[in-house]
Amino acid sequence: GINAEDDGAVLIQVWCRACVMPPVPNCVVLDNGGGLLKIGLAGNEDPFMIAPNCIARGKGKDKRRLVADQLNLAKETSGLQYMRPFDRGMLNDLDVEKEIWDRVLGKQGLNVDIPESSLLVTLPPFLPESLESSFQQMIFEEYGFQSLCCALAASLSIFDRKYRQLDGVLNRPPGCLVVDAGFSFTHVVPVWDNIPMNYAIKRLNVGGKLLTNYMKELISYSRYGYDMMEETFVVNEIKEKLCCCSTDLAADLETCRPTVNPLRRDYVLPDFRNDYQGYVKEANSSDSAAVAVPVIGKGPARSMEEQVLILSNERISVPEVLFHPSDIGLDQAGVAEMIVQSIQAIPADLRPIFAENISLIGGSTMFPNFKTRLEQELRPLLPVDWEVKIHQTDRPMLSAWRGGSEVAASQDYPQYCVTKAEYEEYGHAICRARFRL
């Protein structure tokens, strides 16, 4: 460890060594999300692999064990049970994480020479120091990476070239407010000059996992009588295909009452005998008004035995929790109010800069109309003379990985890293001092 008496001298010495380090020849970029992990080599525009960050296994006599990308290829996904390294946003099961990494880094995945490679990996905000220390110990002592850089996904996302080129603006202001709606939580992270302002980060305990579980309850306790509480994979697909944000909730709920309901969608559930993929039925002539959102995932004609799930107000009720968590009993502010709270924690002179540079990342920002709804909610909460601009790339789920790829391929990357030799000499303390992103 580092003694308190020589903290400054040691850190300055180590920092100077980092500044003159040569670029590492191979750098693995890993956006280690709670739901999905994205992995690839630095300098590429897209990751080599996008895979569930979990291990799934069947129930009863079904002894299958599906690790990471194996779940993408599985046909039979009914009733799977999941083991995840993340619990409530905290990385606390390193054994499960190691099994997943063994696959995505090994011959079935990226297949890199680990001792000759650096690793840039994302960590969630507010991760306890003990968990962070164990995580870094696994990377250096069990895997043996040459060097390591840990960063927040929000910080990396602003390096995404596609974000920087939005609206034709090449030189964006140094302040950016990143809304990261991920699997476990939604975070609002102000970033100034590439460094997160930790004291102004806000967290909402709503993410993609909670929304999927909420939809399972809405479907299972509806009048149709389908028990979907064990069908996490199927319900998550339904959520991603059919849910959208309402721009006028009261009016949209009123439209659910008449016989002709523009929000209604009929979803044919997979039977896992002939069909392994659910799909949205085309609107027939009798309810041709139900075409407000494009139909996704059309399938071939089926027999009269198909199980059809009718969804209506559920499509807008699920994403509504992001804006009004009190709907399900959470005593927290919604996304718009959380953005205001974060801005108010920033020095007054800088607040307008962040209001006009808000960036959306994470899978839960991909609901149709999410950006429009957030603008509607946010505009009345901020001063009228402030300009409010919200930006989003074509694939916000990949923004953090793409930004990390840009950082890891740059000449400045070594200054953010801790080498294995430095870790062995100074321990976890040097990691906390060095990692700034």
Side-chain angles (χ1 to χ4, degrees):
I2 299 177
N3 297 323
E5 297 80 11
D6 56 1
D7 266 3
V10 169
L11 293 182
I12 291 175
Q13 178 186 3
V14 172
W15 180 264
C16 292
R17 286 216 307 265
C19 292
V20 297
M21 279 175 55
V24 292
N26 229 12
C27 183
V28 177
V29 181
L30 175 56
D31 181 6
N32 199 47
L36 295 174
L37 61 80
K38 284 76 70 177
I39 187 170
L41 294 177
N44 294 327
E45 183 175 346
D46 290 317
F48 171 81
M49 178 190 295
I50 302 175
N53 195 4
C54 66
I55 298 172
R57 56 185 176 87
K59 296 189 299 182
K61 296 181 180 179
D62 186 359
K63 302 299 183 182
R64 290 176 303 154
R65 188 177 179 88
L66 306 174
V67 181
D69 62 302
Q70 291 178 325
L71 190 58
N72 292 336
L73 305 175
K75 289 185 176 181
E76 175 65 71
T77 57
S78 177
L80 291 176
Q81 295 179 333
Y82 297 90
M83 295 183 293
R84 299 185 184 275
F86 283 85
D87 181 29
R88 300 180 184 180
M90 296 295 131
L91 179 58
N92 55 10
D93 196 332
L94 292 179
D95 292 334
V96 172
E97 190 68 280
K98 187 175 186 304
E99 186 173 349
I100 295 169
W101 281 20
D102 286 346
R103 178 170 179 84
V104 300
L105 289 169
K107 294 182 179 179
Q108 306 94 335
L110 201 57
N111 195 21
V112 295
D113 184 6
I114 291 179
E116 298 299 323
S117 301
S118 176
L119 176 66
L120 170 58
V121 63
T122 59
L123 285 178
F126 309 125
L127 187 67
E129 185 175 352
S130 59
L131 297 179
E132 188 177 341
S133 176
S134 299
F135 181 66
Q136 293 160 358
Q137 182 179 356
M138 179 185 77
I139 292 171
F140 279 120
E141 296 185 10
E142 296 191 35
Y143 282 101
F145 275 97
Q146 183 191 91
S147 61
L148 169 68
C149 174
C150 296
L152 300 185
S155 300
L156 295 179
S157 68
I158 64 175
F159 291 94
D160 182 5
R161 185 179 306 174
K162 295 196 174 184
Y163 160 72
R164 292 177 177 268
Q165 294 174 350
L166 284 174
D167 305 326
V169 179
L170 296 179
N171 296 314
R172 293 198 172 276
C176 178
L177 195 74
V178 182
V179 179
D180 182 2
F183 180 75
S184 302
F185 296 117
T186 297
H187 289 101
V188 176
V189 183
V191 181
W192 182 264
D193 198 19
N194 303 333
I195 299 176
M197 305 170 74
N198 294 327
Y199 59 88
I201 297 177
K202 302 297 178 182
R203 169 183 286 177
L204 171 63
N205 296 332
V206 176
K209 180 180 179 180
L210 184 145
L211 297 180
T212 299
N213 290 337
Y214 182 45
M215 191 160 198
K216 285 194 292 188
E217 292 184 3
L218 290 179
I219 295 173
S220 298
Y221 295 104
S222 68
R223 63 185 181 276
Y224 304 111
Y226 290 122
D227 184 4
M228 304 291 287
M229 295 303 293
E230 300 294 327
E231 303 297 340
T232 302
F233 191 91
V234 175
V235 174
N236 189 67
E237 283 196 330
I238 296 172
K239 180 194 74 175
E240 293 178 353
K241 290 180 179 180
L242 289 179
C243 284
C244 59
C245 295
S246 171
T247 56
D248 190 343
L249 185 63
D252 286 339
L253 290 177
E254 282 296 322
T255 63
C256 297
R257 300 180 185 274
T259 305
V260 178
N261 179 1
L263 279 175
R264 170 175 167 167
R265 293 293 182 275
D266 294 355
Y267 189 86
V268 179
L269 296 171
D271 59 15
F272 298 108
R273 292 191 302 272
N274 302 313
D275 305 309
Y276 296 94
Q277 186 79 23
Y279 68 97
V280 182
K281 290 185 70 173
E282 291 189 30
N284 57 35
S285 58
S286 62
D287 55 8
S288 58
V291 290
V293 177
V295 174
I296 303 173
K298 295 183 289 185
R302 297 297 194 270
S303 68
M304 297 301 292
E305 297 178 356
E306 63 188 15
Q307 289 184 312
V308 179
L309 182 65
I310 301 174
L311 297 173
S312 179
N313 64 308
E314 297 90 351
R315 296 179 55 215
I316 57 177
S317 298
V318 171
E320 188 67 21
V321 177
L322 287 164
F323 300 96
H324 295 103
S326 58
D327 289 353
I328 58 171
L330 283 179
D331 187 18
Q332 284 190 286
V335 176
E337 292 89 348
M338 199 167 57
I339 290 174
V340 174
Q341 292 174 5
S342 180
I343 291 177
Q344 289 175 343
I346 296 168
D349 293 345
L350 303 180
R351 293 172 187 172
I353 298 177
F354 286 91
E356 66 177 353
N357 197 19
I358 299 172
S359 173
L360 304 179
I361 68 171
S364 295
T365 66
M366 297 172 64
F367 290 119
N369 301 328
F370 181 89
K371 178 181 173 183
T372 303
R373 173 64 183 277
L374 183 57
E375 289 174 343
Q376 289 180 353
E377 296 260 335
L378 188 59
R379 179 64 274 184
L381 301 178
L382 296 175
V384 294
D385 57 332
W386 286 10
E387 190 173 6
V388 177
K389 288 185 179 180
I390 301 177
H391 309 282
Q392 188 175 34
T393 62
D394 58 336
R395 299 187 69 183
M397 191 173 62
L398 295 183
S399 291
W401 190 92
R402 287 172 170 172
S405 178
E406 294 277 345
V407 171
S410 69
Q411 294 181 348
D412 296 331
Y413 173 68
Q415 74 181 25
Y416 300 117
C417 291
V418 169
T419 65
K420 185 178 180 183
E422 290 171 344
Y423 177 81
E424 291 172 347
E425 184 175 356
Y426 301 111
H428 171 64
I430 188 59
C431 296
R432 293 188 67 83
R434 179 72 56 76
F435 299 149
R436 299 183 301 147
L437 294 175

